[in-house]
Amino acid sequence: MEENAGLVLATERYGSAQSWKYLVKDGGMERRRDGGEGGSRGNSVVGFFKSVFLPQGFPESVSDDYLQYQFWDTVQAFSSSLSGTLATQASLKGVGVGNQEATVAAATVTWLLRDGTGMLGRILFAWRKGSKLDSEAKKWRLFADVLNDVAMFMEILAPHFPACFTLIVCTAGIFKSVVGVAGGATRAALTVHQARRDNMADISAKDGSQETLVNLAGLLVSLMLIPLVTDNPVLTLSLFFLFTVLHLFANYKAVRSVVMETFNEARLSIVLRQYLKDKRILSPLEANRREPVLLQFRTAAPIKLGVRLQDVVQSSEELSLASKENSRPFLLGVTNGCVCVCLGPEASVCDKIRATCQAVWLSDKLSCPTSRNPPCAAAKQQSFWAIVFESHKVMEANFKPFLKGVEAAGWDVKRTLLDWDEWRVEWKTKRS
């Protein structure tokens, strides 16, 4: 038995951070940690905090950008917590806290009006923009935080305009309701991206724990700030602008750190244009770095995906034109300067990516000065169909190698974040 002493019977590990060996010793079995027992106290403390605030299986169970995103998200949450304290103090002062002439009824009515308008704003925003929050999560995440800072700034200024106080706080309430919808929905979309082991709930729960800890730290700092800023509007505004700058900077860095491997319209456009330019496929990291994260006005022809048939063609002749040289389960057309795509019910994810690529090429082509301002309406429509026919040829020549290249580069083409509407059309014209 002495000859077998120290023989490794088995090994085990917990994630990638800790591993153990089972050794033969004195006729029995001993469990020993790799690397010895030195520093076990420090490791146990670190392990405790990891288990409390990080998802199980970290870092393998989350995306590579998780830690960087959470760092900047923590910084923005802390600065937002401090700004929120200043805004809350101003709101309470505005409704009459500390003022002997103020009535409870007047303060209650103001609060109820603010909450009521906020509820309406939440419903309207979710109705109008709910479908955009998945496909453009980064943009709306940053937009929500900018709007939150605007709302808090309005609350700080409101007490200085007593005649318009109710209007200002109600407007700020609407803004904050939009922030609640956009911020919560986009956070869920980012959690889907970060979850690599179907562990969305665990990541979301640990994110809540991190945010609670940050808010607790913000609360302690706020207790020290309140005596300093009371009845001192200059200091209040100065600190608010300082926290706001930090908040916006941290938010920008947070959304910039996210590297999503699924295509939305912006990322697909960036990768496709680079491929058509020099046949080079951008990696997810390269494309995400180029992706715009600020809401901006379109410079190219807008694209509408999954529209009704009448948005693509207005006659049987145009339907024949749209299906000419097109054996795919989608139709493309140009209506009022917009590239419209009509989708068949049998279309696959690959078909959706191809249709969007073709729409992006059409949009770029229509945005060129040479494709604008034809001499008359009939010639204009004829010119549009000529460009559509050309787009079919471009995709036939380029799409297969493009799709193969993006898969090899690490893009997920089994699902997308493309903003398709729900219209599906079966057309009767024979497709060759």
Side-chain angles (χ1 to χ4, degrees):
M1 182 60 68
E2 289 297 328
E3 295 179 359
N4 293 327
L7 178 66
V8 178
L9 298 176
T11 61
E12 66 181 8
R13 65 186 179 90
Y14 188 82
S16 61
Q18 305 170 24
S19 61
W20 289 264
K21 293 179 180 178
Y22 288 87
L23 308 172
V24 175
K25 185 175 183 181
D26 299 330
M29 187 169 64
E30 178 187 9
R31 183 174 184 263
R32 184 180 302 170
R33 183 170 181 168
D34 273 355
E37 299 298 325
S40 61
R41 178 179 177 84
N43 289 335
S44 65
V45 174
V46 173
F48 171 75
F49 277 98
K50 281 186 176 181
S51 65
V52 172
F53 295 107
L54 294 175
Q56 181 176 315
F58 173 87
E60 289 85 2
S61 63
V62 296
S63 59
D64 294 337
D65 54 20
Y66 177 83
L67 202 58
Q68 186 177 1
Y69 175 83
Q70 292 301 126
F71 170 77
W72 289 112
D73 191 51
T74 298
V75 174
Q76 70 87 17
F78 180 74
S79 55
S80 180
S81 176
L82 298 179
S83 298
T85 298
L86 301 177
T88 300
Q89 184 195 39
S91 295
L92 293 174
K93 182 179 179 181
V95 298
V97 174
N99 184 356
Q100 296 180 352
E101 297 180 0
T103 64
V104 175
T108 303
V109 167
T110 301
W111 218 257
L112 290 176
L113 286 173
R114 190 194 72 160
D115 289 348
T117 52
M119 293 174 189
L120 291 175
R122 187 177 298 115
I123 294 171
L124 291 173
F125 180 76
W127 168 52
R128 294 297 300 171
K129 296 296 182 181
S131 63
K132 300 287 185 182
L133 300 179
D134 282 301
S135 60
E136 298 181 339
K138 294 183 187 179
K139 287 184 179 181
W140 287 106
R141 177 73 176 177
L142 189 57
F143 170 81
D145 287 298
V146 172
L147 195 61
N148 188 48
D149 289 332
V150 172
M152 288 190 291
F153 181 60
M154 293 175 67
E155 289 179 340
I156 289 176
L157 291 182
H160 303 287
F161 301 91
C164 303
F165 178 80
T166 301
L167 176 62
I168 294 174
V169 296
C170 286
T171 304
I174 294 174
F175 289 173
K176 284 195 170 184
S177 68
V178 171
V179 170
V181 176
T186 53
R187 184 67 191 96
L190 294 176
T191 302
V192 171
H193 156 70
Q194 292 171 339
R196 295 303 159 98
R197 291 184 181 172
D198 296 324
N199 55 340
M200 270 190 62
D202 184 30
I203 291 177
S204 181
K206 296 302 169 57
D207 182 65
S209 296
Q210 296 168 22
E211 189 169 349
T212 301
L213 181 65
V214 170
N215 288 336
L216 181 61
L219 177 64
L220 296 176
V221 175
S222 297
L223 289 175
M224 295 184 288
L225 283 181
I226 288 175
L228 300 176
V229 300
T230 302
D231 298 325
N232 192 339
V234 175
L235 182 59
T236 299
L237 285 174
S238 299
L239 289 174
F240 175 78
F241 282 121
L242 175 64
F243 297 146
T244 298
V245 170
L246 178 61
H247 179 237
L248 295 178
F249 175 75
N251 267 295
Y252 180 81
K253 296 290 288 185
V255 297
R256 271 292 178 211
S257 69
V258 176
V259 180
M260 304 187 84
E261 299 90 359
T262 47
F263 282 126
N264 64 359
E265 186 182 320
R267 291 188 288 274
L268 182 57
S269 301
I270 291 167
V271 177
L272 178 66
R273 287 167 184 149
Q274 186 67 48
Y275 178 78
L276 294 177
K277 180 181 178 182
D278 58 13
K279 302 302 179 183
R280 184 166 70 93
I281 299 291
L282 297 178
S283 67
L285 178 60
E286 292 173 309
N288 277 267
R289 284 177 175 172
R290 297 187 188 184
E291 181 185 5
V293 295
L294 298 175
L295 295 176
Q296 52 192 186
F297 296 105
R298 280 184 174 271
T299 55
I303 296 172
K304 296 181 179 180
L305 304 175
V307 300
R308 298 170 297 180
L309 181 62
Q310 69 181 28
D311 293 326
V312 177
V313 298
Q314 282 73 45
S315 66
S316 59
E317 290 78 10
E318 287 193 350
L319 180 57
S320 297
L321 287 172
S323 56
K324 181 181 177 182
E325 300 181 15
N326 177 24
S327 59
R328 299 290 171 176
F330 55 81
L331 300 175
L332 290 97
V334 180
T335 305
N336 298 324
C338 296
V339 179
C340 300
V341 185
C342 190
L343 196 66
E346 73 275 22
S348 64
V349 175
C350 180
D351 290 323
K352 292 179 179 179
I353 295 176
R354 178 169 178 152
T356 309
C357 287
Q358 198 164 335
V360 168
W361 186 90
L362 273 170
S363 175
D364 290 346
K365 192 73 172 178
L366 292 172
S367 301
C368 294
T370 55
S371 66
R372 295 179 182 175
N373 304 319
C376 65
K380 184 176 183 180
Q381 194 62 28
Q382 186 178 4
S383 173
F384 285 159
W385 285 117
I387 298 174
V388 172
F389 297 152
E390 186 181 353
S391 71
H392 293 315
K393 296 177 182 178
V394 171
M395 285 300 110
E396 283 296 330
N398 291 282
F399 183 72
K400 284 185 179 179
F402 172 74
L403 186 65
K404 186 177 180 180
V406 295
E407 285 188 274
W411 290 97
D412 181 5
V413 295
K414 294 182 176 62
R415 66 185 187 93
T416 70
L417 294 173
L418 299 170
D419 188 24
W420 285 91
D421 207 344
E422 296 304 310
W423 294 102
R424 297 295 180 268
V425 181
E426 295 185 65
W427 52 95
K428 301 299 181 181
T429 302
K430 183 179 179 181
R431 286 172 280 168
S432 57

